[in-house]
Amino acid sequence: MKSILVRYGELTLKGNNRSVFITKLIQNIKFKLKHLKDFVEYKKDYNSLTIKVNAEKLDEVTAILTCVFGIYSISIVEIAPKETETILEKTLAIAQKLPTGTFKVEVERKDKSFAIASNDLKIQIAGNILRNTEHLKVDVHKPLSKINVVIKSDGVYIFTSRINAVKGLPVGVSGKGLSLLSGGIDSPVASYLAMKRGMQVDFLHFMTPPHTTPEALNKVFELAKTLEKYNQSSFALYVCDFAMILRELMHIKDESYRITIMRRIFIRIANQLAEKIKAKALITGESLGQVASQTIESINVINVTSKLPILRPLITYDKEEIITIAQKINTYETSVLPFDDVCSLYVPKNPVTKPKIAIAEIQEQDLLLSELIDYTINKSIKKYIFKEGELVEKAEG
Ligand code: ATP
Ligand code: MG
């Protein structure tokens, strides 16, 4: 068995919410490792969690944990009994495997009942290493390697590296959000960032068959699945057939308002669905000024149709910054596959860049909006449920 020390990071700052957050985090970790439950054991204390792992599953567990929001960093640790002799022996064994160069020992005594002060223990460990090896020198400022020793109540934890995890807050502590997921680059990144701040995310995609192809829809499934490792283990993807409404939108007198009004309808439908599924916010991939429909005037005209807050995690991001995250979270490759989505169709020649609410409302008067929206909500939304990365159920909803 190997042991992994899991650090909670930001959670340590959160006063009263602390225990709620930690309980949620541990629950999320257990869900993510559910398929390995016969290979892992959990041990929880105030500031961290220790997971004992069957050695052959170590890499897999490490890879999963580094994507769980709320985890700050992890270390593969050796746990020794609290005896000076053993500590000296274990740290020497670790030192012997370090690369030639400089090192530093760090000791933290969490268990104050341990008889030797941190500094004295540090000197003993480093002295023992220097006497018994020839390839190492001490450098306390810029060491090549570090040997960390933490004295805890249940034993001495020894490790040489910290693996950074995604940080953020445990998914679920900020409630549920409904993310408008297109097949593009931005909305998967926006969804990821909402998850980062503790939001559990369900998805809503608008398609317009036959203009959008099954491949375009597959892309969206693929994106939702790719994000699963950061999300709640089970989540839903709602697919709304928008074709009928789109046909109606062709009757708008001022075609420059077509995209604006389509967006206003997306948001109305999303609000109604969110209410049904108890989502507390909508999430979009909009970025200020990126395209005509994302000027501050457009955002305002779209925004007023929403009762719920619309989170726009990318509002201040440049495309390049968005792409960097998309590549890191592995959604980029899928997003750039060339399949049309609703918005790349029916784009008017000159979309309005500074729409006005009053004009949008006048344009909408000619449409059978509330009937169409009601019909679409009741008849044209399909719900797909994912559990642990697999599509498990396809339900009408
Ligand atoms: P993305 O890269 O996310 O597609 P974009 O830069 O193409 O964004 P727009 O087409 O203006 O920008 O879309 C803005 C946002 O509206 C998207 O980020 C997404 O949240 C939402 N959206 C657009 N099209 C759809 C769709 N077909 N289904 C669901 N949401 C959509
Ligand atoms: Mg798009």
Side-chain angles (χ1 to χ4, degrees):
M1 291 291 253
K2 295 276 183 185
S3 298
I4 301 178
L5 178 67
V6 177
R7 299 183 192 83
Y8 307 147
E10 186 172 345
L11 293 187
T12 41
L13 306 172
K14 294 276 168 177
N16 289 340
N17 286 336
R18 201 190 138 77
S19 70
V20 177
F21 282 25
I22 292 176
T23 306
K24 188 77 203 168
L25 176 61
I26 293 177
Q27 195 185 62
N28 291 351
I29 291 173
K30 287 183 174 169
F31 258 114
K32 293 294 177 199
L33 298 177
K34 208 167 133 200
H35 61 295
L36 298 171
K37 65 177 185 305
D38 297 335
F39 303 92
V40 295
E41 269 169 45
Y42 299 92
K43 209 163 137 295
K44 174 181 141 174
D45 71 29
Y46 190 73
N47 276 312
S48 60
L49 171 75
T50 307
I51 306 178
K52 287 204 156 67
V53 192
N54 198 311
E56 74 202 48
K57 300 289 180 193
L58 186 67
D59 289 347
E60 185 181 351
V61 172
T62 304
I64 293 171
L65 292 176
T66 52
C67 295
V68 174
F69 284 123
I71 299 180
Y72 195 83
S73 68
I74 62 174
S75 288
I76 316 292
V77 297
E78 189 154 346
I79 303 177
K82 289 191 284 185
E83 301 152 1
T84 315
E85 268 316 296
T86 323
I87 298 172
L88 293 179
E89 222 170 84
K90 297 266 184 199
T91 47
L92 178 59
I94 289 172
Q96 275 158 345
K97 287 187 221 138
L98 290 177
T100 302
T102 55
F103 81 107
K104 175 186 182 179
V105 177
E106 273 179 2
V107 174
E108 198 184 341
R109 192 173 53 142
K110 293 212 156 137
D111 174 10
K112 301 290 179 207
S113 73
F114 187 73
I116 310 174
S118 313
N119 215 32
D120 296 342
L121 185 60
K122 194 158 81 183
I123 292 167
Q124 284 194 40
I125 295 172
N128 185 51
I129 292 173
L130 289 170
R131 277 193 300 280
N132 293 292
T133 58
E134 286 181 347
H135 68 304
L136 295 172
K137 267 202 296 212
V138 171
D139 179 348
V140 291
H141 302 296
K142 276 191 169 167
L144 177 66
S145 313
K146 258 190 209 170
I147 297 178
N148 295 274
V149 175
V150 184
I151 320 276
K152 301 225 247 182
S153 55
D154 63 320
V156 180
Y157 287 53
I158 307 169
F159 57 92
T160 53
S161 74
R162 285 168 200 258
I163 304 166
N164 276 327
V166 276
K167 307 185 170 65
L169 300 177
V171 160
V173 297
S174 304
K176 191 200 282 184
L178 180 62
S179 178
L180 278 69
L181 187 66
S182 67
I185 297 169
D186 303 337
S187 43
V189 175
S191 311
Y192 164 84
L193 290 173
M195 292 170 198
K196 180 164 187 273
R197 296 310 297 170
M199 202 152 244
Q200 149 191 0
V201 174
D202 277 351
F203 301 96
L204 169 61
H205 175 71
F206 296 98
M207 61 167 188
T208 53
H211 307 292
T212 54
T213 56
E215 285 86 349
L217 184 58
N218 270 340
K219 241 176 99 166
V220 174
F221 274 87
E222 205 46 51
L223 289 170
K225 250 167 78 173
T226 305
L227 291 169
E228 189 262 349
K229 60 175 183 276
Y230 306 105
N231 201 357
Q232 193 92 330
S233 288
S234 80
F235 62 89
L237 165 62
Y238 298 87
V239 177
C240 176
D241 185 340
F242 199 73
M244 201 167 64
I245 297 185
L246 199 65
R247 273 198 298 279
E248 184 71 9
L249 286 179
M250 300 314 282
H251 300 135
I252 291 176
K253 286 205 186 78
D254 182 350
E255 73 157 32
S256 71
Y257 267 74
R258 205 185 283 150
I259 297 287
T260 308
I261 291 177
M262 182 178 81
R263 289 292 149 84
R264 283 164 58 94
I265 301 174
F266 279 3
I267 295 299
R268 289 185 180 105
I269 292 174
N271 264 271
Q272 290 199 30
L273 176 63
E275 194 179 333
K276 256 190 179 167
I277 65 170
K278 301 198 166 60
K280 294 175 183 162
L282 305 182
I283 300 150
T284 73
E286 287 158 308
S287 161
L288 190 60
Q290 197 186 79
V291 289
S293 60
Q294 296 177 19
T295 61
I296 194 66
E297 290 81 2
S298 287
I299 286 175
N300 186 37
V301 174
I302 295 162
N303 213 45
V304 292
T305 57
S306 191
K307 269 194 244 143
L308 288 175
I310 302 177
L311 306 186
R312 300 178 173 92
L314 302 179
I315 197 71
T316 63
Y317 281 48
D318 297 339
K319 198 72 186 185
E320 210 181 288
E321 296 170 310
I322 300 171
I323 289 175
T324 303
I325 301 177
Q327 285 167 333
K328 189 182 85 180
I329 63 175
N330 280 324
T331 54
Y332 185 76
E333 293 293 307
T334 310
S335 289
V336 295
L337 292 174
F339 297 112
D340 271 334
D341 69 320
V342 183
C343 307
S344 36
L345 301 158
Y346 297 95
V347 180
K349 273 183 235 83
N350 292 305
V352 57
T353 52
K354 297 189 174 185
K356 299 216 160 42
I357 296 173
I359 300 180
E361 284 170 350
I362 291 170
Q363 303 287 320
E364 285 173 358
Q365 279 167 9
D366 297 338
L367 310 173
L368 293 166
L369 260 193
S370 62
E371 289 85 344
L372 276 172
I373 290 176
D374 282 350
Y375 183 87
T376 302
I377 298 260
N378 293 320
K379 301 271 190 231
S380 305
I381 297 186
K382 277 206 178 99
K383 176 181 183 182
Y384 297 87
I385 297 168
F386 288 78
K387 271 205 179 109
E388 288 141 46
E390 295 304 318
L391 178 63
V392 291
E393 233 174 288
K394 186 178 149 184
E396 299 295 316

